[in-house]
Amino acid sequence: FSELLMWCIFFKITYFVHPKIVSNITQIYIPSKVEEIGFHAFFDCQSLTKVEIIDIENSKLFEIGKYAFAESSIMQINIPREIEIINEFTFNCCSLLEEVKFAENSQLHTIDHYSFAGNLKLKRINIPKSIVALSYRSFINTPLLESIMIESNKNFVVMDNNEIYSKLNHGLIFVPRNLKHFKIKEKCSI
């Protein structure tokens, strides 16, 4: 099994044909040479609590596929600099996920639908200023989430209560879950 896993990791992590084989994995260490984690790679690996990218500063990882870690038990994830898109459902229903960190000088430009939805313990995330597209559905069912961006950028405005609006269409993107009262600004699309 370990030879199979190392072969997959060396080139590209892809969907495992036999989910029962990986269902007991609790930790995964990804070499910096890996360029892609494929669609469903660790989907429903409920024992998986730790994912570590070895030598993350030099990581070649540029894509994490849809559902790659969905419904796993990871508690934290560090997103390397080369990742440009967090695909839909990538970290969906990771109910133990508490921490998401982005590398300095992150090239992230898109966070797609339901990427972090259903993450019941996530309280804060600091999306890089490089973000261009941020789905209002990215963080659905995240009851503890209070903040996703610290500073405004050319595409999004962070308001006083950490709510976020799109500058392009004035759409409301995010409302902190800890607010008891909230007033939507005028000329806002919902």
Side-chain angles (χ1 to χ4, degrees), residues 48-187:
L48 182 63
T49 59
K50 181 177 182 176
V51 175
E52 183 178 326
I53 299 169
I54 300 167
D55 191 19
I56 196 165
E57 291 81 22
N58 295 309
S59 174
K60 304 284 188 247
L61 187 64
F62 68 88
E63 182 173 355
I64 303 174
K66 294 177 184 179
Y67 296 93
F69 293 100
E71 298 185 32
S72 70
S73 296
I74 61 172
M75 292 187 256
Q76 68 103 10
I77 188 78
N78 293 320
I79 309 292
R81 185 176 63 84
E82 299 294 325
I83 297 290
E84 295 182 354
I85 299 172
I86 297 182
N87 288 298
E88 57 189 17
F89 299 99
T90 300
F91 299 102
N92 182 270
C93 292
C94 293
S95 60
L96 299 178
L97 185 63
E98 292 180 1
E99 185 175 35
V100 178
K101 290 184 179 178
F102 295 93
E104 284 188 44
N105 301 316
S106 173
Q107 297 178 17
L108 183 72
H109 60 73
T110 301
I111 298 180
D112 215 338
H113 303 309
Y114 309 105
S115 301
F116 293 96
N119 294 333
L120 305 179
K121 291 193 173 192
L122 191 60
K123 290 183 181 180
R124 295 182 190 287
I125 185 171
N126 187 13
I127 297 171
K129 289 183 81 166
S130 58
I131 198 75
V132 174
L134 176 60
S135 170
Y136 69 92
R137 295 180 179 143
S138 298
F139 298 98
I140 288 176
N141 194 20
T142 51
L144 300 178
L145 195 57
E146 298 174 1
S147 173
I148 63 171
M149 286 179 80
I150 294 174
E151 297 178 58
S152 299
N153 68 10
K154 64 182 180 179
N155 299 295
F156 300 98
V157 176
V158 179
M159 304 298 282
D160 292 338
N161 290 317
N162 290 324
E163 68 268 30
I164 297 176
Y165 291 91
S166 167
K167 287 184 180 177
L168 178 66
N169 63 7
H170 305 285
L172 180 61
I173 301 294
F174 174 77
V175 177
R177 310 313 191 234
N178 61 328
L179 296 179
K180 297 199 188 281
H181 304 282
F182 178 72
K183 182 177 180 181
I184 297 172
K185 73 178 194 171
E186 291 184 32
K187 297 181 183 178

